[in-house]
Amino acid sequence: MFINQRRALQGVQAMHDHGCMGTRNCTGRNIIMTTKRGRRATMRAYVDPGETKAWHQLDCKHVVEAQQFGPEALNVIFAEAERMERVRPGTAEAKVLDGRVMATLFYEPSTRTRLSFESAITHLGGIVLSTESAGEYSSAAKGETLEDTIRTIENYADCIVLRHFQAGSAKRAALVSSVPIINAGDGPGQHPTQALLDVYSIRKEIGRLDNFKIGLVGDLLNGRTVHSLAYVLSMFKGVKMYFVAPQVVAMKEDIKTYLTSKGVDWEEVGRVSFRVRIQNLS
């Protein structure tokens, strides 16, 4: 059912290109400064939950958590993803990111996520700067903070794809970065680009994003992908969610509370026999 994750990135990156030119234009609007005005400028580039979900109209488009997106933003991203699906090697469209640089900064092991992002920008003519196991092989091993690492890498790249072992790390990075931060998973927190991919796939398969039932199965406590998916699906009418997991790894209470507040119908199902992979968060 799932398509290559690069399409989600392609839609996001293409939207970034239309409204922002990386460090050349974003810096004045988004970089952390010592002034009160500078802090306000930073927050304009980040959509907090509860704000108007006009993500696609921001100057610097961080992808931090699923609650940033509203239906209009999703439609814009998906339209761009559909256009990217038609891109073929050797065409002008295959060079749309020529000269662009994406940095993949991964503090956790990854195969599919890291390579899918790197494949995406490569297929569109861009360049990759990559580091895996950044906690061991980057300056973090010498005590450098995540914020200082981001401030350094933003000078080398037009966007930073970040995977980190701590929930909330992507938001920390976004608040100091002058280039878009794309959250590729932050511990037990969220994985918003995977949610974009999942919802895009659902729409392609059944032709709609409302009035259907879906089961989320597995380690729902630590599984960041299902956290993000639940948040995105909550904005569509008539979606009923079944949470299928042993009690020890049941869906987080704050997410269930959020869904209830949005009028989403959900049900926990624990009496199912299956094997589940527990996320290793050590």
Side-chain angles (χ1 to χ4, degrees):
M1 178 177 178
F2 299 121
I3 58 174
N4 192 310
Q5 187 169 352
R6 83 183 195 207
R7 292 170 189 162
L9 168 66
Q10 288 165 342
V12 170
Q13 180 62 44
M15 288 300 98
H16 167 64
D17 285 343
H18 290 309
C20 166
M21 300 295 288
T23 55
R24 289 181 285 280
N25 285 346
C26 267
T27 303
R29 299 182 178 91
N30 190 39
I31 196 167
I32 283 286
M33 302 177 184
T34 57
T35 65
K36 185 175 181 181
R37 179 183 178 186
R39 287 194 293 273
R40 286 204 303 271
T42 296
M43 295 308 296
R44 280 204 301 273
Y46 176 78
V47 179
D48 274 312
E51 293 183 22
T52 301
K53 304 300 194 304
W55 177 88
H56 56 295
Q57 297 174 349
L58 296 174
D59 295 307
C60 195
K61 298 175 177 61
H62 299 299
V63 179
V64 175
E65 56 189 356
Q67 302 96 301
Q68 290 178 268
F69 302 100
E72 184 180 355
L74 291 180
N75 287 334
V76 171
I77 293 171
F78 293 164
E80 194 67 34
E82 289 172 350
R83 187 174 73 87
M84 292 297 105
E85 283 193 77
R86 298 190 291 271
V87 173
R88 295 294 178 264
T91 63
E93 290 82 2
K95 296 295 181 182
V96 68
L97 296 184
D98 184 31
R100 297 290 182 168
V101 179
M102 178 186 75
T104 51
L105 181 62
F106 278 56
Y107 288 81
E108 287 185 323
S110 171
T111 301
R112 291 174 294 275
T113 300
R114 182 171 63 87
L115 292 182
S116 65
F117 275 111
E118 294 178 0
S119 172
I121 194 167
T122 301
H123 277 78
L124 294 175
I127 301 170
V128 177
L129 299 178
S130 183
T131 177
E132 191 174 16
S133 301
E136 183 177 355
Y137 297 111
S138 74
S139 293
K142 298 183 289 186
E144 183 174 87
T145 66
L146 173 63
E147 287 82 358
D148 284 340
T149 297
I150 294 298
R151 290 186 182 105
T152 299
I153 296 176
E154 69 180 1
N155 294 290
Y156 310 145
D158 295 293
C159 69
I160 300 171
V161 180
L162 174 67
R163 169 166 286 188
H164 201 276
F165 52 85
Q166 291 181 339
S169 56
K171 185 173 183 178
R172 286 170 51 200
L175 291 176
V176 300
S177 179
S178 64
V179 300
I181 297 293
I182 300 177
N183 182 4
D186 58 343
Q190 290 205 38
H191 198 332
T193 60
Q194 182 67 56
L196 294 177
L197 172 64
D198 292 344
V199 174
Y200 182 69
S201 300
I202 291 170
R203 193 179 74 163
K204 289 195 68 175
E205 288 293 320
I206 69 174
R208 65 184 189 279
L209 288 173
D210 56 5
N211 298 312
F212 67 90
K213 299 177 182 179
I214 183 170
L216 306 183
V217 183
D219 182 357
L220 305 185
L221 177 65
N222 302 305
R224 53 199 169 204
T225 57
V226 291
H227 299 165
S228 294
L229 181 57
Y231 280 125
V232 174
L233 291 178
S234 71
M235 69 181 72
F236 299 102
K237 295 181 179 180
V239 177
K240 179 169 183 177
M241 304 182 200
Y242 293 90
F243 301 142
V244 186
Q247 188 58 41
V248 68
V249 286
M251 180 61 82
K252 296 171 65 176
E253 289 297 327
D254 61 328
I255 294 179
K256 291 186 289 187
T257 300
Y258 178 87
L259 296 176
T260 299
S261 72
K262 297 296 181 180
V264 176
D265 188 10
W266 58 268
E267 181 180 341
E268 288 188 304
V269 182
R271 295 182 179 274
V272 177
S273 177
F274 60 90
R275 292 182 180 272
V276 56
R277 185 187 72 173
I278 306 298
Q279 299 286 327
N280 182 4
L281 300 179
S282 60

